[in-house]
């Protein structure tokens, strides 16, 4: 499915980016739709978002090094997925903080 020889692009790290993207979407759905379960706290959302962004940035950096060493072209989809993960992680934090402020204001 994923290989170096089949294409001239390096796509071996794409499943990791997809996993983090799915995690960010699931967290966004949990923040938006559910009435804040006990496991959704500002600390949880912050840690998951920070870890996702840092790990994906390191993967993107390492992918660039590997691509350069193997004389291949990079995977543009990985870059776009990194941007989407970063955007969703920041959006998760903002939505949670706005909903928390709204709940504190109404209580």
């Amino acid at each position: 499915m994923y290989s170096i020889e089949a294409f001239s692009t390096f796509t071996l790290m794409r499943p990791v980016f997809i996993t983090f993207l799915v995690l960010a979407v699931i967290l966004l759905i949990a923040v938006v739709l559910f009435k804040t379960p006990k496991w959704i706290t500002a600390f949880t959302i912050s840690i998951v978002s920070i870890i996702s962004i840092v790990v994906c940035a390191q993967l993107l950096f390492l992918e660039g090094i590997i691509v350069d060493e193997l004389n291949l072209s990079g995977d543009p989809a990985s870059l776009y997925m990194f941007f989407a993960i970063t955007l969703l992680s920041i959006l998760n934090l903002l939505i949670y903080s706005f909903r928390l402020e709204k709940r504190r204001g109404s209580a």
Side-chain angles (χ1 to χ4, degrees):
M1 182 171 161
Y2 293 101
S3 69
I4 297 173
E5 292 84 19
F7 308 105
S8 63
T9 59
F10 185 78
T11 60
L12 294 175
M13 292 191 187
R14 193 181 287 181
V16 180
F17 283 105
I18 292 171
T19 303
F20 277 106
L21 187 62
V22 168
L23 176 69
V25 169
I26 289 172
L27 190 59
L28 180 68
I29 290 170
V31 168
V32 171
L33 294 182
F34 299 127
K35 289 187 176 183
T36 316
K38 292 181 182 179
W39 60 272
I40 297 181
T41 63
F43 178 75
T44 306
I45 294 173
S46 301
I47 291 299
V48 169
S49 297
I50 289 169
I51 288 174
S52 296
I53 292 171
V54 168
V55 169
C56 288
Q58 288 178 343
L59 279 174
L60 196 63
F61 180 73
L62 291 174
E63 183 178 334
I65 292 173
I66 293 169
V67 164
D68 187 44
E69 291 295 323
L70 295 175
N71 291 329
L72 297 171
S73 62
D75 183 23
S78 296
L79 179 66
Y80 296 136
M81 282 189 275
F82 172 71
F83 288 147
I85 291 165
T86 304
L87 180 72
L88 286 174
S89 296
I90 292 170
L91 194 63
N92 283 334
L93 288 169
L94 290 175
I95 289 173
Y96 182 79
S97 64
F98 285 138
R99 287 188 71 191
L100 189 64
E101 283 295 321
K102 191 170 141 181
R103 249 183 281 130
R104 285 184 183 166
S106 67

